[in-house]
Each structure stands twice: as structure tokens, then as C-alpha cells.
Amino acid sequence: MSIPSSLGVVRPLWHLIAGPDQPPTSGWRPRWWPRWRIPLVQAGLLLLIGLTVAAVNYLQDERNLPELLAIPLALGSTLPMAVALRRPLLAWRICYPLLYLGVVDFSPREAWPWHPMQVIGTLFVFGILAVRADTGVSTWAAGLTLIPVFLFAETPANGYGIIVLFAVVLLLGDQFRRRRQSQRALVEQAELSELEKARRAVLEERTRIAREMHDVVAHHMSMIAVQAETAPYRLDTLPEPARAEFTAIAGSARQALTDMRRLLGVLRSESASPETAPQPGLADIAELVEAARRAGMVVTLDESPPPTEQAGPSETAEQAGPPEETGHAGPPEAVGLAAYRIVQEALANAARHAPGAAVRVTLRPEQEMITVRVENDDTGTPTGAPTRGAGHGLTGMRERARLLGGTFTAAPAGGGFTVEAELPYDGKDGNR
């Protein structure tokens, strides 16, 4: 049930009657509370038990109520005090009906139609409610509580005194609540300031890393590219295969420089805006394989056509047509990029750990996923041979596959090594 926005005055009343009762926040307790919590809780329980027993005796002695009626009325007077610390709205909802039920058989010699423990409990619950609830909710609670006071009090002067008492409690509670809100706002602002300082420290560290990478790595890559480009002119007797290899080295170095500049731009940027430069995909894997061949590797590429509903199992790729004509939209950009990077890293690992070995790259694009497989035979250096350093190539490939919701395996096979990844098109980042 919703209250129209035009009835803003009624909304606190609805919240008081049937709204959610929020538990206290962790910051409202004083610092000494953890140390004295257990003794105070034990003392509070003993106090509630004593008040309940006193209320039962009072109702039996002063009003001659039977025990079956005195015990529920006594519990209804003291139970809200225990509930108010955690659920003040619920405590008021328990306490308020008893203001009408608690006037049963009151003695004419009593100053109030409610017994003393009920008066104490009502004031305690209202005080907690004034501290914890909004001003509108507390005001409605005070107004409704005053109704039975004027209905059952012996003299109007008693009602006027209660109005003054409730007004004082309401003002003090509201001021205390606003002060606590201001303190929490200051704490939150201090936390935001600390987070901003930490963010700036991260940005400064990223800038320092970018500067170091530019001064060291980018410089050496530039030197490699320049030396590879000028070597054919400095060495006139180079055969044509050697010239082609130097050209491939220069091209790889230039491509590495391009990727390095893109990485440095991300490290220096304060915003996490997406890159606008085109990213490689499945269509670029053939060029990647060709570059590996020019670098001296023996690489074959087996790229199966995507399955289509129009083409039968015996039709060739030329008969099936390109993906646009067959209704297959191809993999998402993130999947194509992941497949490219996995093939790139697998070829680099094969060249580093098994030089001279034949490498086979297999791509199996399907309707819902693509399978990427890179395997090398055992004609090169053994896979388990010691290498310089411990890279993170396999870890990076596995992370790329898992980010897309796919699978990744890498293990020795037949004396060589096989890397295989299955990348679904509807993965976590595949549809972006």
C-alpha cells in the first residue's frame, strides 16, 4: 500500500503504524560499550525481572486483579523496554494498546489510571523512539500517546504536565539524533577523503610505473626496431631469407611499441574510459600466424567455417558463404580479442620453450562458442627444459577464458604441449 506524495504529513503516521523498524547502526554506541556490554545487559535483565515482579504485586495488591490477568498486564508494561533498544517502533506498538487496557479496575486513590511501572515503561519507550526515529514519526507517537492521557486522567492538569514532559523529551531526542547524524556525516566525509587520498596515491604510482616502462622497455624496443630495419642496409651480403627475418623482427618490435604506448596511456589516464583504438580479433589470427612464419616458426592454421543451418555437412566453406550471408553474426568482440591473445601467447611460449617444433593452430567457431587449440610436437627443445624467468602466460590465458565463462586447459601431450580454450559467446563479458 502506498501513500500519495501530496499526503506528506500522513506518511510519518503510516511509518509509525506499519513501517519498517530499522535496527541501530554500529556507530551509535559509546566507546566503552564493548567493555561493559555483558555486565550492563545482565543488570538490565535483572532490572526488568524486578519491575515485572513489582508490577504483578502492585496489580494484585492495589487493584485486586487475578494472577492470570496481572501477569500479562505486567509483562506488557516491561517487555517494551527490552524491545525498544533494538526495535523502538515495535516497542511503541506493543506499549500503545496497553495504555487503554491498563486502566482496568484502577483504584480511586491512585493519581494515574496506570500503575507506576507502566508509566516508567511508556516514558522509556518514547524517549528511545525520539532519539532513533525521524521527527515526524516521533511527533505522531507523542500525539497518539496523549490521547489516552486526556481520556483517562483524573484532572486536565495532569494531561498538560504530560504534554510539557513529552515536548521536552521530543526536543532533546531530536537534538541528540541530529547530533549523531552530523557526527556520522563527518566520519563518512573523512572516509571519503581517505579513499580519495588512496586513489591519488594509486594514480601517482601508476604514473611512476608508466614513466619507468617508457624509459626502459619502450627505449629498448625502439632500438630493436631500428637495428632490425637498418641491418639489411648495413650488411649488403645478407640472403633474402635473412632480410625477410629482419623485416619480421622490425614489424614485431613496432607492434610491441604500439601495444606499449596503449598500455602507458591506460596507466597515465585518471579515468577508466574505454579504448577507442581497434582491438585484434579472429580475423587477425591469420596475420599473427603469418608473422610467426616470417620469424622462422613452422606454423599451420586450421580454421573451420562456422556451422550454418543452410549448409549441409558435406558442403565446403566456399559453398556455405561468409558469416554475414549465412546468418552467423560471429563471436562478440571480447571473445575474438581473447582468442587472439591466447593464440599470441601460445605461439610465444612455443617459440621460447620448443624452438624449431611444428605448431598447429586450430580454430573451431560454432553457433554458441569457439574452441581455440594450439599444440606443438616434440621435434624442438623439450618442453620441460629450463628457461629464463618464470612468466605468467598460462595464468593470463586462463584468466581470459574464465572472465568469459569459458574453460582452459594446458598440459603436455605426445612429447609436446597443448593449449586449448573454449570461449562461449554469452559469457560474462561476451555480449558487451
Side-chain angles (χ1 to χ4, degrees):
M1 181 177 181
S2 61
I3 301 299
S5 58
S6 60
L7 300 178
V9 180
V10 184
R11 189 175 293 109
L13 174 60
W14 175 257
H15 185 81
L16 175 66
I17 297 175
D21 201 342
Q22 298 179 354
T25 58
S26 58
W28 78 279
R29 297 186 179 94
R31 296 180 179 179
W32 47 262
W33 174 253
R35 180 178 180 181
W36 297 95
R37 179 174 62 88
I38 295 178
L40 289 177
V41 169
Q42 293 174 348
L45 290 176
L46 292 176
L47 179 61
L48 289 176
I49 293 174
L51 291 177
T52 304
V53 174
V56 172
N57 293 332
Y58 183 90
L59 292 175
Q60 288 180 333
D61 297 339
E62 297 295 331
R63 300 188 180 180
N64 299 320
L65 295 180
E67 185 177 358
L68 293 178
L69 185 58
I71 292 177
L73 290 177
L75 288 176
S77 303
T78 57
L79 182 62
M81 289 190 285
V83 178
L85 296 177
R86 297 293 299 179
R87 296 290 187 270
L89 287 180
L90 177 60
W92 184 86
R93 293 163 188 167
I94 298 174
C95 184
Y96 186 69
L98 290 172
L99 293 177
Y100 295 91
L101 300 176
V103 298
V104 58
D105 290 339
F106 70 94
S107 176
R109 63 178 179 270
E110 296 182 67
W112 293 92
W114 304 279
H115 60 86
M117 277 61 71
Q118 187 173 6
V119 174
I120 295 173
T122 302
L123 290 176
F124 180 82
V125 170
F126 179 74
I128 298 296
L129 185 64
V131 172
R132 296 270 298 280
D134 293 337
T135 305
V137 176
S138 301
T139 303
W140 273 107
L144 293 177
T145 305
L146 290 174
I147 293 177
V149 173
F150 282 96
L151 287 178
F152 302 111
E154 288 293 327
T155 60
N158 293 339
Y160 298 145
I162 290 295
I163 291 178
V164 175
L165 179 61
F166 272 45
V168 172
V169 175
L170 182 62
L171 290 175
L172 292 178
D174 185 70
Q175 291 299 320
F176 183 82
R177 180 179 59 83
R178 292 179 185 273
R179 182 172 175 269
R180 295 301 303 175
Q181 288 179 347
S182 301
Q183 291 179 350
R184 283 197 294 268
L186 291 176
V187 171
E188 292 176 357
Q189 185 63 33
E191 292 178 353
L192 291 177
S193 299
E194 292 296 331
L195 291 176
E196 181 65 20
K197 291 180 181 179
R199 190 182 71 87
R200 290 187 177 276
V202 171
L203 292 177
E204 292 176 359
E205 182 66 15
R206 289 171 61 180
T207 303
R208 187 190 67 81
I209 293 174
R211 183 171 58 250
E212 294 294 332
M213 293 179 67
H214 179 271
D215 294 342
V216 179
V217 182
H219 171 73
H220 290 300
M221 293 302 299
S222 299
M223 294 301 298
I224 292 174
V226 171
Q227 291 175 357
E229 289 176 345
T230 59
Y233 300 98
R234 291 183 285 104
L235 305 174
D236 297 334
T237 59
L238 282 178
E240 188 61 30
R243 290 177 178 271
E245 187 168 348
F246 274 114
T247 302
I249 293 173
S252 299
R254 294 295 181 188
Q255 181 62 37
L257 277 175
T258 301
D259 294 338
M260 180 66 66
R261 292 191 185 99
R262 185 182 297 116
L263 177 60
L264 294 180
V266 172
L267 289 176
R268 289 181 179 272
S269 175
E270 295 187 5
S271 61
S273 57
E275 298 181 6
T276 57
Q279 296 293 311
L282 287 181
D284 301 297
I285 293 181
E287 182 179 352
L288 179 64
V289 171
E290 184 61 28
R293 292 196 189 105
R294 292 195 300 266
M297 295 183 65
V298 181
V299 188
T300 58
L301 175 62
D302 180 11
E303 186 174 8
S304 300
T308 61
E309 298 179 358
Q310 292 84 357
S314 61
E315 291 178 309
T316 62
E318 290 78 7
Q319 292 172 328
E324 291 79 4
E325 297 179 2
T326 58
H328 189 271
E333 181 180 355
V335 176
L337 175 61
Y340 180 90
R341 295 303 185 193
I342 290 175
V343 174
Q344 185 182 43
E345 182 63 30
L347 291 177
N349 288 343
R352 182 165 55 250
H353 298 288
V359 182
R360 292 173 296 279
V361 179
T362 306
L363 301 179
R364 292 285 186 268
E366 300 177 2
Q367 292 288 352
E368 301 295 336
M369 64 179 298
I370 181 173
T371 302
V372 180
R373 183 183 179 91
V374 181
E375 53 186 339
N376 60 271
D377 57 26
D378 59 349
T379 59
T381 302
T383 305
T387 58
R388 294 182 59 188
H392 302 277
L394 294 179
T395 302
M397 289 188 283
R398 183 176 291 105
E399 289 176 351
R400 288 184 180 274
R402 288 181 177 177
L403 283 175
L404 296 171
T407 60
F408 176 83
T409 57
F417 201 82
T418 300
V419 171
E420 184 172 353
E422 294 182 352
L423 308 176
Y425 294 168
D426 59 347
K428 299 176 183 178
D429 295 328
N431 294 329
R432 292 184 180 177

